[in-house]
PDB file of all heavy atoms in Angstrom:
ATOM      1  N   GLY A 207     -57.791  52.031  29.836  1.00 47.00           N
ATOM      2  CA  GLY A 207     -57.491  52.875  28.755  1.00 47.00           C
ATOM      3  C   GLY A 207     -58.773  53.310  28.060  1.00 47.00           C
ATOM      4  O   GLY A 207     -59.877  52.957  28.610  1.00 47.00           O
ATOM      5  N   ARG A 208     -58.605  53.937  26.901  1.00 44.00           N
ATOM      6  CA  ARG A 208     -59.894  54.478  26.205  1.00 44.00           C
ATOM      7  C   ARG A 208     -60.447  53.268  25.413  1.00 44.00           C
ATOM      8  O   ARG A 208     -59.774  52.467  24.663  1.00 44.00           O
ATOM      9  CB  ARG A 208     -59.395  55.464  25.181  1.00 44.00           C
ATOM     10  CG  ARG A 208     -58.761  56.648  25.956  1.00 44.00           C
ATOM     11  CD  ARG A 208     -58.228  57.674  24.848  1.00 44.00           C
ATOM     12  NE  ARG A 208     -57.497  58.615  25.593  1.00 44.00           N
ATOM     13  CZ  ARG A 208     -56.142  58.577  25.533  1.00 44.00           C
ATOM     14  NH1 ARG A 208     -55.509  57.735  24.814  1.00 44.00           N
ATOM     15  NH2 ARG A 208     -55.542  59.600  26.171  1.00 44.00           N
ATOM     16  N   SER A 209     -61.781  53.173  25.399  1.00 45.00           N
ATOM     17  CA  SER A 209     -62.507  52.233  24.502  1.00 45.00           C
ATOM     18  C   SER A 209     -63.917  52.608  24.592  1.00 45.00           C
ATOM     19  O   SER A 209     -64.288  53.504  25.214  1.00 45.00           O
ATOM     20  CB  SER A 209     -62.302  50.760  25.071  1.00 45.00           C
ATOM     21  OG  SER A 209     -63.112  50.517  26.175  1.00 45.00           O
ATOM     22  N   VAL A 210     -64.702  51.911  23.786  1.00 45.00           N
ATOM     23  CA  VAL A 210     -66.082  52.145  23.770  1.00 45.00           C
ATOM     24  C   VAL A 210     -66.837  51.791  25.033  1.00 45.00           C
ATOM     25  O   VAL A 210     -67.865  52.286  25.428  1.00 45.00           O
ATOM     26  CB  VAL A 210     -66.801  51.534  22.481  1.00 45.00           C
ATOM     27  CG1 VAL A 210     -68.278  51.817  22.472  1.00 45.00           C
ATOM     28  CG2 VAL A 210     -66.106  52.110  21.317  1.00 45.00           C
ATOM     29  N   ASP A 211     -66.428  50.575  25.616  1.00 54.00           N
ATOM     30  CA  ASP A 211     -67.089  49.996  26.743  1.00 54.00           C
ATOM     31  C   ASP A 211     -66.888  50.854  27.988  1.00 54.00           C
ATOM     32  O   ASP A 211     -66.038  51.699  28.032  1.00 54.00           O
ATOM     33  CB  ASP A 211     -66.455  48.643  27.098  1.00 54.00           C
ATOM     34  CG  ASP A 211     -66.692  47.703  25.952  1.00 54.00           C
ATOM     35  OD1 ASP A 211     -67.667  47.797  25.217  1.00 54.00           O
ATOM     36  OD2 ASP A 211     -65.907  46.697  25.804  1.00 54.00           O
ATOM     37  N   LEU A 212     -67.786  50.651  28.970  1.00 57.00           N
ATOM     38  CA  LEU A 212     -67.650  51.386  30.264  1.00 57.00           C
ATOM     39  C   LEU A 212     -66.487  50.677  31.083  1.00 57.00           C
ATOM     40  O   LEU A 212     -66.196  49.549  31.034  1.00 57.00           O
ATOM     41  CB  LEU A 212     -68.911  51.255  31.000  1.00 57.00           C
ATOM     42  CG  LEU A 212     -70.117  51.998  30.519  1.00 57.00           C
ATOM     43  CD1 LEU A 212     -71.365  51.742  31.280  1.00 57.00           C
ATOM     44  CD2 LEU A 212     -69.813  53.513  30.386  1.00 57.00           C
ATOM     45  N   GLY A 213     -65.920  51.492  31.907  1.00 74.00           N
ATOM     46  CA  GLY A 213     -64.935  50.970  32.933  1.00 74.00           C
ATOM     47  C   GLY A 213     -65.720  50.161  33.981  1.00 74.00           C
ATOM     48  O   GLY A 213     -66.977  50.348  34.015  1.00 74.00           O
ATOM     49  N   SER A 214     -65.070  49.445  34.814  1.00 85.00           N
ATOM     50  CA  SER A 214     -65.837  48.484  35.748  1.00 85.00           C
ATOM     51  C   SER A 214     -66.576  49.282  36.729  1.00 85.00           C
ATOM     52  O   SER A 214     -67.767  48.931  37.080  1.00 85.00           O
ATOM     53  CB  SER A 214     -64.791  47.649  36.388  1.00 85.00           C
ATOM     54  OG  SER A 214     -63.927  48.405  37.207  1.00 85.00           O
ATOM     55  N   VAL A 215     -66.121  50.437  37.302  1.00 87.00           N
ATOM     56  CA  VAL A 215     -66.958  51.173  38.230  1.00 87.00           C
ATOM     57  C   VAL A 215     -68.165  51.764  37.631  1.00 87.00           C
ATOM     58  O   VAL A 215     -69.280  51.572  38.064  1.00 87.00           O
ATOM     59  CB  VAL A 215     -66.202  52.196  38.945  1.00 87.00           C
ATOM     60  CG1 VAL A 215     -66.924  53.125  39.826  1.00 87.00           C
ATOM     61  CG2 VAL A 215     -64.987  51.698  39.799  1.00 87.00           C
ATOM     62  N   ALA A 216     -67.970  52.502  36.481  1.00 88.00           N
ATOM     63  CA  ALA A 216     -69.212  53.002  35.771  1.00 88.00           C
ATOM     64  C   ALA A 216     -70.091  51.894  35.360  1.00 88.00           C
ATOM     65  O   ALA A 216     -71.425  52.079  35.567  1.00 88.00           O
ATOM     66  CB  ALA A 216     -68.673  53.711  34.622  1.00 88.00           C
ATOM     67  N   ASP A 217     -69.670  50.710  34.919  1.00 89.00           N
ATOM     68  CA  ASP A 217     -70.514  49.705  34.483  1.00 89.00           C
ATOM     69  C   ASP A 217     -71.362  49.139  35.704  1.00 89.00           C
ATOM     70  O   ASP A 217     -72.575  48.981  35.614  1.00 89.00           O
ATOM     71  CB  ASP A 217     -69.722  48.517  33.837  1.00 89.00           C
ATOM     72  CG  ASP A 217     -70.609  47.345  33.415  1.00 89.00           C
ATOM     73  OD1 ASP A 217     -71.382  47.674  32.551  1.00 89.00           O
ATOM     74  OD2 ASP A 217     -70.442  46.233  33.832  1.00 89.00           O
ATOM     75  N   HIS A 218     -70.730  48.903  36.811  1.00 89.00           N
ATOM     76  CA  HIS A 218     -71.455  48.427  37.992  1.00 89.00           C
ATOM     77  C   HIS A 218     -72.478  49.436  38.381  1.00 89.00           C
ATOM     78  O   HIS A 218     -73.582  49.026  38.898  1.00 89.00           O
ATOM     79  CB  HIS A 218     -70.448  48.142  39.198  1.00 89.00           C
ATOM     80  CG  HIS A 218     -69.658  46.800  39.045  1.00 89.00           C
ATOM     81  ND1 HIS A 218     -68.531  46.655  38.533  1.00 89.00           N
ATOM     82  CD2 HIS A 218     -70.125  45.673  39.554  1.00 89.00           C
ATOM     83  CE1 HIS A 218     -68.239  45.316  38.658  1.00 89.00           C
ATOM     84  NE2 HIS A 218     -69.130  44.682  39.234  1.00 89.00           N
ATOM     85  N   LEU A 219     -72.027  50.763  38.501  1.00 92.00           N
ATOM     86  CA  LEU A 219     -72.993  51.758  38.885  1.00 92.00           C
ATOM     87  C   LEU A 219     -74.223  51.809  37.947  1.00 92.00           C
ATOM     88  O   LEU A 219     -75.418  51.904  38.350  1.00 92.00           O
ATOM     89  CB  LEU A 219     -72.381  53.148  38.864  1.00 92.00           C
ATOM     90  CG  LEU A 219     -71.546  53.435  40.089  1.00 92.00           C
ATOM     91  CD1 LEU A 219     -70.715  54.637  40.019  1.00 92.00           C
ATOM     92  CD2 LEU A 219     -72.414  53.555  41.421  1.00 92.00           C
ATOM     93  N   VAL A 220     -74.004  51.809  36.603  1.00 90.00           N
ATOM     94  CA  VAL A 220     -75.139  51.874  35.616  1.00 90.00           C
ATOM     95  C   VAL A 220     -76.049  50.726  35.768  1.00 90.00           C
ATOM     96  O   VAL A 220     -77.249  50.876  35.821  1.00 90.00           O
ATOM     97  CB  VAL A 220     -74.555  51.919  34.219  1.00 90.00           C
ATOM     98  CG1 VAL A 220     -75.612  51.714  33.192  1.00 90.00           C
ATOM     99  CG2 VAL A 220     -73.934  53.335  33.882  1.00 90.00           C
ATOM    100  N   ARG A 221     -75.458  49.515  36.149  1.00 92.00           N
ATOM    101  CA  ARG A 221     -76.296  48.330  36.232  1.00 92.00           C
ATOM    102  C   ARG A 221     -76.916  48.264  37.635  1.00 92.00           C
ATOM    103  O   ARG A 221     -78.054  47.579  37.613  1.00 92.00           O
ATOM    104  CB  ARG A 221     -75.462  47.049  36.009  1.00 92.00           C
ATOM    105  CG  ARG A 221     -75.029  47.023  34.534  1.00 92.00           C
ATOM    106  CD  ARG A 221     -74.010  45.824  34.417  1.00 92.00           C
ATOM    107  NE  ARG A 221     -73.365  45.768  33.216  1.00 92.00           N
ATOM    108  CZ  ARG A 221     -73.945  45.244  32.093  1.00 92.00           C
ATOM    109  NH1 ARG A 221     -75.135  44.677  32.067  1.00 92.00           N
ATOM    110  NH2 ARG A 221     -73.239  45.265  30.921  1.00 92.00           N
ATOM    111  N   GLY A 222     -76.404  48.825  38.699  1.00 91.00           N
ATOM    112  CA  GLY A 222     -76.984  48.506  39.977  1.00 91.00           C
ATOM    113  C   GLY A 222     -77.187  49.658  40.970  1.00 91.00           C
ATOM    114  O   GLY A 222     -77.719  49.424  42.031  1.00 91.00           O
ATOM    115  N   ALA A 223     -76.961  50.879  40.566  1.00 92.00           N
ATOM    116  CA  ALA A 223     -77.280  51.974  41.450  1.00 92.00           C
ATOM    117  C   ALA A 223     -78.653  52.187  41.730  1.00 92.00           C
ATOM    118  O   ALA A 223     -79.499  51.851  40.741  1.00 92.00           O
ATOM    119  CB  ALA A 223     -76.538  53.213  40.918  1.00 92.00           C
ATOM    120  N   ASN A 224     -79.004  52.637  42.775  1.00 92.00           N
ATOM    121  CA  ASN A 224     -80.479  53.038  43.159  1.00 92.00           C
ATOM    122  C   ASN A 224     -80.905  54.384  42.646  1.00 92.00           C
ATOM    123  O   ASN A 224     -81.917  54.854  43.118  1.00 92.00           O
ATOM    124  CB  ASN A 224     -80.652  52.932  44.579  1.00 92.00           C
ATOM    125  CG  ASN A 224     -80.472  51.477  45.030  1.00 92.00           C
ATOM    126  OD1 ASN A 224     -80.973  50.513  44.380  1.00 92.00           O
ATOM    127  ND2 ASN A 224     -79.662  51.207  46.109  1.00 92.00           N
ATOM    128  N   ARG A 225     -80.133  55.104  41.774  1.00 94.00           N
ATOM    129  CA  ARG A 225     -80.463  56.348  41.266  1.00 94.00           C
ATOM    130  C   ARG A 225     -79.873  56.546  39.891  1.00 94.00           C
ATOM    131  O   ARG A 225     -78.997  55.686  39.388  1.00 94.00           O
ATOM    132  CB  ARG A 225     -80.137  57.518  42.217  1.00 94.00           C
ATOM    133  CG  ARG A 225     -78.649  57.507  42.421  1.00 94.00           C
ATOM    134  CD  ARG A 225     -78.275  58.036  43.763  1.00 94.00           C
ATOM    135  NE  ARG A 225     -79.136  58.227  44.827  1.00 94.00           N
ATOM    136  CZ  ARG A 225     -79.513  57.289  45.692  1.00 94.00           C
ATOM    137  NH1 ARG A 225     -78.861  56.016  45.638  1.00 94.00           N
ATOM    138  NH2 ARG A 225     -80.403  57.546  46.564  1.00 94.00           N
ATOM    139  N   PRO A 226     -80.161  57.497  39.171  1.00 95.00           N
ATOM    140  CA  PRO A 226     -79.572  57.671  37.829  1.00 95.00           C
ATOM    141  C   PRO A 226     -78.131  57.931  37.906  1.00 95.00           C
ATOM    142  O   PRO A 226     -77.590  58.463  38.897  1.00 95.00           O
ATOM    143  CB  PRO A 226     -80.268  59.000  37.339  1.00 95.00           C
ATOM    144  CG  PRO A 226     -81.630  59.028  37.993  1.00 95.00           C
ATOM    145  CD  PRO A 226     -81.372  58.539  39.381  1.00 95.00           C
ATOM    146  N   VAL A 227     -77.441  57.419  36.951  1.00 94.00           N
ATOM    147  CA  VAL A 227     -75.970  57.611  36.830  1.00 94.00           C
ATOM    148  C   VAL A 227     -75.635  58.208  35.438  1.00 94.00           C
ATOM    149  O   VAL A 227     -76.080  57.804  34.458  1.00 94.00           O
ATOM    150  CB  VAL A 227     -75.298  56.160  36.904  1.00 94.00           C
ATOM    151  CG1 VAL A 227     -73.729  56.366  36.756  1.00 94.00           C
ATOM    152  CG2 VAL A 227     -75.579  55.499  38.269  1.00 94.00           C
ATOM    153  N   LEU A 228     -74.948  59.275  35.521  1.00 95.00           N
ATOM    154  CA  LEU A 228     -74.382  60.002  34.380  1.00 95.00           C
ATOM    155  C   LEU A 228     -72.899  59.623  34.143  1.00 95.00           C
ATOM    156  O   LEU A 228     -72.145  59.897  35.079  1.00 95.00           O
ATOM    157  CB  LEU A 228     -74.562  61.561  34.464  1.00 95.00           C
ATOM    158  CG  LEU A 228     -73.974  62.389  33.378  1.00 95.00           C
ATOM    159  CD1 LEU A 228     -74.572  62.094  32.043  1.00 95.00           C
ATOM    160  CD2 LEU A 228     -73.995  63.866  33.689  1.00 95.00           C
ATOM    161  N   THR A 229     -72.625  58.930  33.015  1.00 93.00           N
ATOM    162  CA  THR A 229     -71.206  58.693  32.755  1.00 93.00           C
ATOM    163  C   THR A 229     -70.738  59.701  31.731  1.00 93.00           C
ATOM    164  O   THR A 229     -71.363  60.007  30.740  1.00 93.00           O
ATOM    165  CB  THR A 229     -71.020  57.246  32.177  1.00 93.00           C
ATOM    166  OG1 THR A 229     -71.659  57.119  30.886  1.00 93.00           O
ATOM    167  CG2 THR A 229     -71.431  56.271  33.139  1.00 93.00           C
ATOM    168  N   VAL A 230     -69.642  60.172  32.015  1.00 93.00           N
ATOM    169  CA  VAL A 230     -69.076  61.332  31.162  1.00 93.00           C
ATOM    170  C   VAL A 230     -67.800  60.838  30.481  1.00 93.00           C
ATOM    171  O   VAL A 230     -66.790  60.379  30.973  1.00 93.00           O
ATOM    172  CB  VAL A 230     -68.640  62.616  32.108  1.00 93.00           C
ATOM    173  CG1 VAL A 230     -68.027  63.615  31.212  1.00 93.00           C
ATOM    174  CG2 VAL A 230     -69.866  63.022  32.866  1.00 93.00           C
ATOM    175  N   ALA A 231     -67.889  60.894  29.131  1.00 88.00           N
ATOM    176  CA  ALA A 231     -66.829  60.478  28.245  1.00 88.00           C
ATOM    177  C   ALA A 231     -65.754  61.537  28.308  1.00 88.00           C
ATOM    178  O   ALA A 231     -65.931  62.741  28.413  1.00 88.00           O
ATOM    179  CB  ALA A 231     -67.233  60.254  26.838  1.00 88.00           C
ATOM    180  N   CYS A 232     -64.374  61.068  28.183  1.00 82.00           N
ATOM    181  CA  CYS A 232     -63.310  62.030  28.094  1.00 82.00           C
ATOM    182  C   CYS A 232     -62.248  61.261  27.248  1.00 82.00           C
ATOM    183  O   CYS A 232     -61.923  60.107  27.464  1.00 82.00           O
ATOM    184  CB  CYS A 232     -62.843  62.287  29.569  1.00 82.00           C
ATOM    185  SG  CYS A 232     -61.379  63.296  29.728  1.00 82.00           S
ATOM    186  N   ASP A 233     -61.693  62.075  26.307  1.00 78.00           N
ATOM    187  CA  ASP A 233     -60.509  61.555  25.615  1.00 78.00           C
ATOM    188  C   ASP A 233     -59.404  61.999  26.454  1.00 78.00           C
ATOM    189  O   ASP A 233     -58.616  62.889  25.950  1.00 78.00           O
ATOM    190  CB  ASP A 233     -60.584  62.158  24.199  1.00 78.00           C
ATOM    191  CG  ASP A 233     -59.447  61.544  23.308  1.00 78.00           C
ATOM    192  OD1 ASP A 233     -58.983  60.381  23.602  1.00 78.00           O
ATOM    193  OD2 ASP A 233     -59.137  62.126  22.276  1.00 78.00           O
ATOM    194  N   CYS A 234     -59.166  61.439  27.503  1.00 70.00           N
ATOM    195  CA  CYS A 234     -58.140  61.787  28.558  1.00 70.00           C
ATOM    196  C   CYS A 234     -57.136  60.673  28.748  1.00 70.00           C
ATOM    197  O   CYS A 234     -57.327  59.523  28.396  1.00 70.00           O
ATOM    198  CB  CYS A 234     -58.820  61.981  29.894  1.00 70.00           C
ATOM    199  SG  CYS A 234     -60.168  63.075  29.849  1.00 70.00           S
ATOM    200  N   ASP A 235     -56.058  61.104  29.284  1.00 59.00           N
ATOM    201  CA  ASP A 235     -54.951  60.162  29.742  1.00 59.00           C
ATOM    202  C   ASP A 235     -55.501  59.473  30.920  1.00 59.00           C
ATOM    203  O   ASP A 235     -55.883  60.076  31.868  1.00 59.00           O
ATOM    204  CB  ASP A 235     -53.801  61.032  29.996  1.00 59.00           C
ATOM    205  CG  ASP A 235     -52.519  60.097  30.513  1.00 59.00           C
ATOM    206  OD1 ASP A 235     -52.733  58.947  30.696  1.00 59.00           O
ATOM    207  OD2 ASP A 235     -51.516  60.781  30.645  1.00 59.00           O
ATOM    208  N   PRO A 236     -55.551  58.103  30.924  1.00 54.00           N
ATOM    209  CA  PRO A 236     -56.049  57.342  32.071  1.00 54.00           C
ATOM    210  C   PRO A 236     -55.205  57.326  33.396  1.00 54.00           C
ATOM    211  O   PRO A 236     -55.632  56.887  34.325  1.00 54.00           O
ATOM    212  CB  PRO A 236     -56.227  55.895  31.456  1.00 54.00           C
ATOM    213  CG  PRO A 236     -55.219  55.856  30.345  1.00 54.00           C
ATOM    214  CD  PRO A 236     -55.083  57.205  29.840  1.00 54.00           C
ATOM    215  N   THR A 237     -53.931  57.896  33.259  1.00 54.00           N
ATOM    216  CA  THR A 237     -53.040  57.862  34.390  1.00 54.00           C
ATOM    217  C   THR A 237     -53.589  58.783  35.519  1.00 54.00           C
ATOM    218  O   THR A 237     -54.082  59.903  35.179  1.00 54.00           O
ATOM    219  CB  THR A 237     -51.701  58.394  33.862  1.00 54.00           C
ATOM    220  OG1 THR A 237     -51.211  57.644  32.835  1.00 54.00           O
ATOM    221  CG2 THR A 237     -50.679  58.341  35.039  1.00 54.00           C
ATOM    222  N   PRO A 238     -53.691  58.378  36.746  1.00 53.00           N
ATOM    223  CA  PRO A 238     -54.058  59.321  37.765  1.00 53.00           C
ATOM    224  C   PRO A 238     -53.226  60.589  37.779  1.00 53.00           C
ATOM    225  O   PRO A 238     -52.012  60.455  37.716  1.00 53.00           O
ATOM    226  CB  PRO A 238     -53.877  58.435  39.031  1.00 53.00           C
ATOM    227  CG  PRO A 238     -53.831  57.050  38.669  1.00 53.00           C
ATOM    228  CD  PRO A 238     -53.268  57.063  37.192  1.00 53.00           C
ATOM    229  N   LEU A 239     -53.961  61.620  38.092  1.00 53.00           N
ATOM    230  CA  LEU A 239     -53.167  62.983  38.170  1.00 53.00           C
ATOM    231  C   LEU A 239     -52.254  63.047  39.121  1.00 53.00           C
ATOM    232  O   LEU A 239     -51.055  63.576  39.116  1.00 53.00           O
ATOM    233  CB  LEU A 239     -54.308  64.101  38.243  1.00 53.00           C
ATOM    234  CG  LEU A 239     -55.179  64.296  37.084  1.00 53.00           C
ATOM    235  CD1 LEU A 239     -56.273  65.454  37.463  1.00 53.00           C
ATOM    236  CD2 LEU A 239     -54.463  64.596  35.849  1.00 53.00           C
ATOM    237  N   ARG A 240     -52.488  62.371  40.328  1.00 49.00           N
ATOM    238  CA  ARG A 240     -51.654  62.462  41.518  1.00 49.00           C
ATOM    239  C   ARG A 240     -50.268  61.708  41.252  1.00 49.00           C
ATOM    240  O   ARG A 240     -49.291  61.852  41.962  1.00 49.00           O
ATOM    241  CB  ARG A 240     -52.347  62.049  42.749  1.00 49.00           C
ATOM    242  CG  ARG A 240     -52.599  60.541  42.785  1.00 49.00           C
ATOM    243  CD  ARG A 240     -53.235  60.204  44.173  1.00 49.00           C
ATOM    244  NE  ARG A 240     -53.562  58.709  44.108  1.00 49.00           N
ATOM    245  CZ  ARG A 240     -54.085  58.064  45.017  1.00 49.00           C
ATOM    246  NH1 ARG A 240     -54.445  58.723  46.148  1.00 49.00           N
ATOM    247  NH2 ARG A 240     -54.335  56.836  44.954  1.00 49.00           N
ATOM    248  N   SER A 241     -50.244  60.692  40.323  1.00 47.00           N
ATOM    249  CA  SER A 241     -48.937  59.981  40.158  1.00 47.00           C
ATOM    250  C   SER A 241     -48.240  60.581  38.969  1.00 47.00           C
ATOM    251  O   SER A 241     -47.203  60.176  38.736  1.00 47.00           O
ATOM    252  CB  SER A 241     -49.481  58.562  39.685  1.00 47.00           C
ATOM    253  OG  SER A 241     -50.040  58.514  38.502  1.00 47.00           O
TER     254      SER A 241
END
């Protein structure tokens, strides 16, 4: 859901990716669109 913290995938990428990571905030419904 929505919170100030990063989600797990974004958090792992920001901490460990070998290139810059841009995380994009969205006041969105967290439900997958396909469901």
Side-chain angles (χ1 to χ4, degrees):
R208 298 174 194 105
S209 76
V210 176
D211 297 335
L212 293 175
S214 63
V215 173
D217 183 60
H218 277 93
L219 280 168
V220 166
R221 293 174 188 275
N224 293 314
R225 61 209 15 87
V227 176
L228 173 63
T229 62
V230 179
C232 179
D233 189 21
C234 304
D235 180 351
T237 306
L239 295 174
R240 68 178 180 180
S241 69

